[in-house]
Amino acid sequence: MDEPTTKIAVVTGAGSGIGRSVALALAAAGWSVAVAGRRAEPLEETAEAAGDGADVFRVPTDVTDPDGVAALFGAVRERYGRLDLLFNNAGTFGPGGVPLEDLSYEAWRSVVDVNLTGSFLCAQAAFRQMKAQDPQGGRIINNGSISAHVPRPHSIAYTATKHAMTGLTKSLSLDGRPYKIACGQIDIGNAATEMTERMRTGILQANGQLAVEPVMDAADVARTVLHMAELPLEANVQFATVMATAMPYIGRG
């Protein structure tokens, strides 16, 4: 079968922040984009921002619900017949500033359910579709974090799930080899979104001080994801780190 002329993507957490920026970048590059998120209204805003000529398919989805994830990928398969890209982006930091010893089980479980289990469910559904379709194959890009390398204070749930995301990425890469399914991970530091608003007013550092940190435009992340997405399946960016240049990451701060 000939290669399709229009590429099909699913972007989770597409109602705001990095997910919205990536969805807009893909749509502007001619992709058909299924945008998923818990709330319908932000997805509508993403679709409106893409413009009238863009093919943006809104599918409200809770990624922690296996039936909801199955419905998302079933709807994409019914509408488009195939899937070329999953940007596994939906995530949550959890309660900020809570010391490890005070973190509730419910808060821990909430972060794990969204960041790790939700990513697994979406990756599994995408993998099944990519393996079964003709032409076979596709690409999965997982949104990690620089927390996949270095933690912040009071971030044990988020950091643990982002380390786990690296294991998910490596296993998907290995298991996808026979089926032309490529998987890479983008680790992002201080993109300007609602989640990083604290960076601009002062955030706890490892030495116990509060400090304002530099941020970068989320569109700079989206350009990197687009580059990864548009590589031929014979090539893969396995891991990429995109961060605000002067943030305290390299060296000792």
Side-chain angles (χ1 to χ4, degrees):
M1 182 180 289
D2 294 336
E3 291 288 337
T5 56
T6 300
K7 297 290 188 179
I8 313 303
V10 169
V11 177
T12 65
S16 63
I18 290 167
R20 175 176 288 175
S21 291
V22 168
L24 295 179
L26 289 166
W31 289 65
S32 293
V33 187
V35 291
R38 286 177 301 160
R39 295 177 296 137
E41 184 176 348
L43 299 180
E44 293 288 346
E45 293 170 357
T46 298
E48 290 173 5
D52 293 336
D55 181 12
V56 178
F57 179 36
R58 284 89 72 195
V59 190
T61 306
D62 179 354
V63 298
T64 69
D65 176 17
D67 292 336
V69 170
L72 163 64
F73 286 88
V76 171
R77 184 170 57 252
E78 181 176 350
R79 182 180 176 100
Y80 299 109
R82 67 173 291 107
L83 176 64
D84 299 290
L85 172 70
L86 164 64
F87 182 45
N88 226 349
N89 168 71
T92 181
F93 192 83
V98 178
L100 184 155
E101 65 272 21
D102 295 329
L103 186 70
S104 69
Y105 170 78
E106 291 75 18
W108 165 269
R109 182 63 184 269
S110 176
V111 175
V112 171
D113 284 351
V114 174
N115 294 5
L116 181 56
T117 303
S119 294
F120 162 74
L121 290 172
C122 290
Q124 183 184 52
F127 193 100
R128 286 172 175 157
Q129 173 64 34
M130 293 170 179
K131 180 180 176 181
Q133 65 195 11
D134 184 17
Q136 192 177 62
R139 189 180 306 274
I140 298 168
I141 301 175
N142 290 325
N143 186 351
S145 168
I146 61 166
S147 289
H149 307 277
V150 292
R152 289 187 178 277
H154 304 159
S155 69
I156 191 165
Y158 183 79
T159 296
T161 58
K162 292 304 182 178
H163 275 72
M165 185 71 89
T166 301
L168 193 72
T169 297
K170 291 179 178 180
S171 287
L172 287 165
S173 295
L174 183 59
D175 293 346
R177 279 182 190 171
Y179 313 111
K180 292 190 69 174
I181 300 172
C183 183
Q185 179 171 316
I186 183 166
D187 296 326
I188 301 165
N190 287 17
T193 68
E194 297 90 335
M195 188 180 287
T196 60
E197 191 64 35
R198 292 174 298 160
M199 310 296 178
R200 306 180 215 193
T201 57
I203 190 166
L204 184 65
Q205 305 294 303
N207 64 3
Q209 297 179 345
L210 292 177
V212 173
E213 293 189 13
V215 296
M216 62 178 171
D217 196 311
D220 297 327
V221 177
R223 285 204 301 272
T224 305
V225 174
L226 180 63
H227 167 69
M228 295 168 72
E230 295 199 323
L231 289 171
L233 291 177
E234 292 75 21
N236 187 42
V237 176
Q238 187 67 68
F239 293 99
T241 301
V242 182
M243 52 177 261
T245 304
M247 67 176 293
Y249 172 70
I250 298 298
R252 296 180 180 269

